[in-house]
Amino acid sequence: MGQALWRLPPRQQQQLQEELADRLADHEGGRQEPGRDGGPQRRAPQHCYGPDIYHLLRTRRGGKEQHGFIDLEMLPPELGITILSYLNATDLCLAGCVWQDLGNDEYLWQGLCKSTWGHCSIYNRRLPAGFSYRRLYLQLDEGCLTFNANPQEGISYFMSKGILVDHPTELAKFIFLTRRLNWKMLRIYLDERRDVLDELVTLHNFSNQFLPNALRDFFRHIHAPEERGEYLETLITKFSHRFCTCNPVLVRDLGLSPDAVYVLCYSLILLSIDLTSPHVKNKMSKREFIRNTRRAAHNVSDDFVGHLYDNIYLIGHVAA
């Protein structure tokens, strides 16, 4: 597990292997069999780590060579947490059996919980006696799996364990800082809980962001539906008001309004489909996009609309 994280480019690997082979040859005192050229035959070590990790391990082992897998107990705690964050709950329990000290380290499990689920209501409450972050990690993982099968049951599971409070702000913060929730199930849940959706929109900060980039950031957290409908209109409406709230100076200088931003967002989505879809043979030109957009948004300058086109042309779809 640990070796793949410290893999070096081939040239650096070869240099490091040769250096380690020389040290092993010096340590064995010439006991190796001679090579074809009469000199000592070099033998590359079985494992190699990055130079910094290699020296760190040698220092902590008193200068002895380290073979086999890296012992996480010998690494700094921050590095150990980073390595373990690549494992799921089942693998973490198995790892806890191997590294028993780490498996019982509550600070380690606390770091894993808060790095994976950035906000939970239980974090802000006084923890009861006998509370275990390891148990909390398993409950959070189980709750996410349940949510990805049935959103309502998943949220009910979190509440039954005291992990979340049934309040729109708390639920929105949990969703905003969690990446373990299936986006399709999340879309279903937010479509049913518009109060949570409202709070989730207010957590976004679009200050000093170009409109297409802000829209991409928005759809990265709240995925757009696959088809046009009432839910997509609701999302764009909420985004338009939030974008204008975060950029009052830009709105004043460019003469924008929530309605104008709403029109521009739809234009950007249609342009994204036009430029990225392989089924569209005749792509919309920049002049056509400016002309079509100006018909719907009269107060927007041609230069600003042209920059919108360039952004989609160079970066890609706003809702991909």
Side-chain angles (χ1 to χ4, degrees):
M1 175 187 65
Q3 298 172 29
L5 297 177
W6 318 117
R7 190 168 297 166
L8 299 172
R11 181 176 299 178
Q12 289 183 276
Q13 285 188 16
Q14 183 179 0
Q15 294 176 353
L16 185 59
Q17 289 176 354
E18 291 178 356
E19 178 185 352
L20 293 176
D22 291 338
R23 295 185 181 182
L24 287 175
D26 295 340
H27 178 69
E28 294 177 1
R31 290 180 293 176
Q32 294 178 334
E33 297 179 0
R36 294 182 179 180
D37 55 356
Q41 183 178 5
R42 287 185 174 181
R43 181 180 62 185
Q46 295 179 355
H47 305 280
C48 69
Y49 314 106
D52 295 337
I53 301 300
Y54 169 76
H55 292 298
L56 175 63
L57 292 177
R58 286 207 61 180
T59 301
R60 295 199 172 192
R61 290 180 60 90
K64 297 181 180 180
E65 296 287 346
Q66 168 71 19
H67 296 281
F69 291 100
I70 296 177
D71 190 349
L72 295 187
E73 295 180 354
M74 302 173 60
L75 298 177
E78 298 81 2
L79 200 54
I81 291 178
T82 302
I83 295 174
L84 292 178
S85 65
Y86 288 90
L87 304 180
N88 57 30
T90 302
D91 292 336
L92 279 172
C93 290
L94 295 176
C97 297
V98 178
W99 298 294
Q100 294 184 6
D101 291 340
L102 287 176
N104 297 323
D105 189 344
E106 281 296 297
Y107 289 106
L108 173 74
W109 289 102
Q110 180 181 0
L112 290 173
C113 286
K114 293 187 177 182
S115 62
T116 308
W117 297 274
H119 177 83
C120 293
S121 302
I122 196 173
Y123 294 160
N124 301 322
R125 295 203 303 265
R126 184 174 182 180
L127 302 178
F131 176 83
S132 171
Y133 274 102
R134 179 177 181 177
R135 188 185 305 113
L136 176 62
Y137 186 97
L138 298 177
Q139 291 174 349
L140 285 168
D141 185 75
E142 178 67 21
C144 287
L145 294 176
T146 305
F147 182 95
N148 293 338
N150 188 311
Q152 292 294 344
E153 291 185 3
I155 296 298
S156 298
Y157 176 86
F158 288 129
M159 294 178 183
S160 65
K161 300 298 182 181
I163 298 174
L164 291 178
V165 175
D166 189 11
H167 190 277
T169 303
E170 290 294 308
L171 296 175
K173 289 181 179 180
F174 174 78
I175 293 172
F176 187 75
L177 297 175
T178 299
R179 298 293 176 267
R180 293 284 186 92
L181 304 179
N182 180 271
W183 65 271
K184 292 184 178 180
M185 295 300 170
L186 183 58
R187 187 176 64 193
I188 295 174
Y189 179 75
L190 292 177
D191 193 15
E192 297 175 353
R193 291 291 303 268
R194 296 299 176 90
D195 55 342
V196 178
L197 177 60
D198 292 339
E199 295 294 334
L200 187 59
V201 172
T202 59
L203 293 176
H204 289 81
N205 184 10
F206 302 125
S207 300
N208 300 320
Q209 288 194 36
F210 193 37
L211 180 60
N213 297 333
L215 195 58
R216 288 189 186 93
D217 184 47
F218 180 73
F219 284 138
R220 192 175 297 116
H221 289 91
I222 308 175
H223 290 267
E226 298 174 354
E227 298 179 356
R228 179 176 177 178
E230 187 269 338
Y231 181 61
L232 178 60
E233 294 179 0
T234 300
L235 290 182
I236 296 179
T237 301
K238 294 182 181 299
F239 168 81
S240 302
H241 285 84
R242 182 59 182 170
F243 182 83
C244 292
T245 302
C246 294
N247 297 277
V249 178
L250 179 66
V251 170
R252 184 183 65 251
D253 294 342
L254 297 179
L256 296 177
S257 65
D259 292 338
V261 174
Y262 179 91
V263 172
L264 293 176
C265 288
Y266 260 114
S267 299
L268 290 172
I269 293 175
L270 295 177
L271 177 64
S272 299
I273 298 174
D274 185 276
L275 294 182
T276 60
S277 175
H279 304 291
V280 179
K281 301 302 180 181
N282 298 321
K283 305 296 185 182
M284 185 183 302
S285 66
K286 186 174 183 179
R287 180 176 300 176
E288 292 173 334
F289 178 73
I290 294 175
R291 183 179 66 249
N292 296 336
T293 304
R294 284 297 305 276
R295 291 176 181 175
H298 305 285
N299 296 330
V300 182
S301 65
D302 291 349
D303 291 338
F304 181 75
V305 178
H307 291 318
L308 297 178
Y309 182 94
D310 295 337
N311 184 280
I312 303 301
Y313 184 83
L314 295 174
I315 300 180
H317 207 300
V318 292

